Amino acid sequence: MTSQSADLELFDDVLVHQDRRPAAFLPGPTNTAAAHVAAAHAEMLLTSLALSDNARSEDGDEHAEPSSALQRVEAKLDLVLGLLGTMLRDRGDLPPPTVLRWSTRGARIDVLGDALAIRPGARGTLRVQPADWLPDCIELPAHVIAAEGARVWIAFEPMAPTLADALERHLFRLHRKQVAESRRLR
C-alpha cells in the first residue's frame, strides 16, 4: 500500500490529531488475553482522563474561583505526577517522543531506531502516552499497512465500541486543546 492510500484509509473523513508525544510501535505477536487486558486498561485510562479534563474545565468555567486549598492540592498532584513521569521516562518505561498522527482507525508514526525491522504486515502494539502529565501508556493492538523510510502507517485491530468512543473523545479533546493553544498564540 502506498503512503497516500494509507493516509486515506486511516485519516479520511475522521477526526485526526497530530503532535509530538511518547509513542512507539512494538512488533510482535499479541496474546488474546493480554490484548483484552490492555484494551480494558486503555478504556479505563482514557475514560479517567476525560473525567479529569472535564472536572478541570468545569472548574475553569465557573465564575467563582476554586478554593486556594483545592488549587494547592491540584498543583501538588501535578508535581507528583510530573516527577513520577520523569522517573518512568528515565527508567525507559515510556517510549521516546516522536511525531504521531492518529485517529480511531490507526496512526502514522515516525519510528525511532530500527525502522527497517518494521515492514507492512507486521503485527504488534502501538504504545502511546495519552497525556503529557500522566506517566502511563495505552496499548492498542495494530498491524502495519505501509512503510516509507522511518515512517509507518499502522491500522488498529477492531476494538470494542466503548474503547473506540473513549479514543475518539480523547482525540477530540487533544484537538480542541491544540486549536485553543494556537488561537492563544496569535
Side-chain angles (χ1 to χ4, degrees), residues 1-11 108 145-148 151-153:
M1 180 178 288
T2 67
S3 58
Q4 292 84 6
S5 57
D7 269 341
L8 285 173
E9 183 175 323
L10 298 177
F11 308 126
R108 184 185 73 207
I145 60 172
E148 186 176 278
R151 184 167 280 175
V152 294
W153 287 258

Side-chain angles (χ1 to χ4, degrees), residues 81-101:
L81 288 172
L83 177 62
L84 185 57
T86 301
M87 290 169 49
L88 288 173
R89 203 172 4 265
D90 291 346
R91 275 190 20 208
D93 289 347
L94 293 177
T98 187
V99 176
L100 173 70
R101 181 176 186 180

Side-chain angles (χ1 to χ4, degrees), residues 17 132 173-186:
H17 179 71
D132 297 333
R173 282 191 315 281
L174 290 174
H175 177 73
R176 187 177 62 199
K177 286 178 187 176
Q178 194 174 53
V179 168
E181 182 67 20
S182 69
R183 286 183 180 157
R184 190 182 64 75
L185 294 175
R186 282 190 217 162

Side-chain angles (χ1 to χ4, degrees), residues 12 31 54 57-58 60 62 82 93 107 124 132 134-135 159 170 172:
D12 192 37
N31 176 325
N54 288 343
S57 68
E58 286 172 6
E62 301 276 331
D93 289 347
D132 297 333
L134 182 68
M159 58 180 79
H170 180 69
F172 177 75

Side-chain angles (χ1 to χ4, degrees), residues 13 27 65 73 84 117 123 128 143 149:
D13 292 330
E65 287 293 316
V73 169
L84 185 57
R123 296 201 173 282
V128 179
H143 62 279

Side-chain angles (χ1 to χ4, degrees), residues 1 17 19 35 42-43 54 70 90 104 108 112 115 118 122 126 133-134 141 152 162 169 173 182:
M1 180 178 288
H17 179 71
D19 66 354
E43 183 179 340
N54 288 343
L70 178 60
D90 291 346
T104 55
R108 184 185 73 207
L112 304 173
I118 302 175
L126 179 67
W133 56 269
L134 182 68
V152 294
T162 53
R169 285 190 310 272
R173 282 191 315 281
S182 69

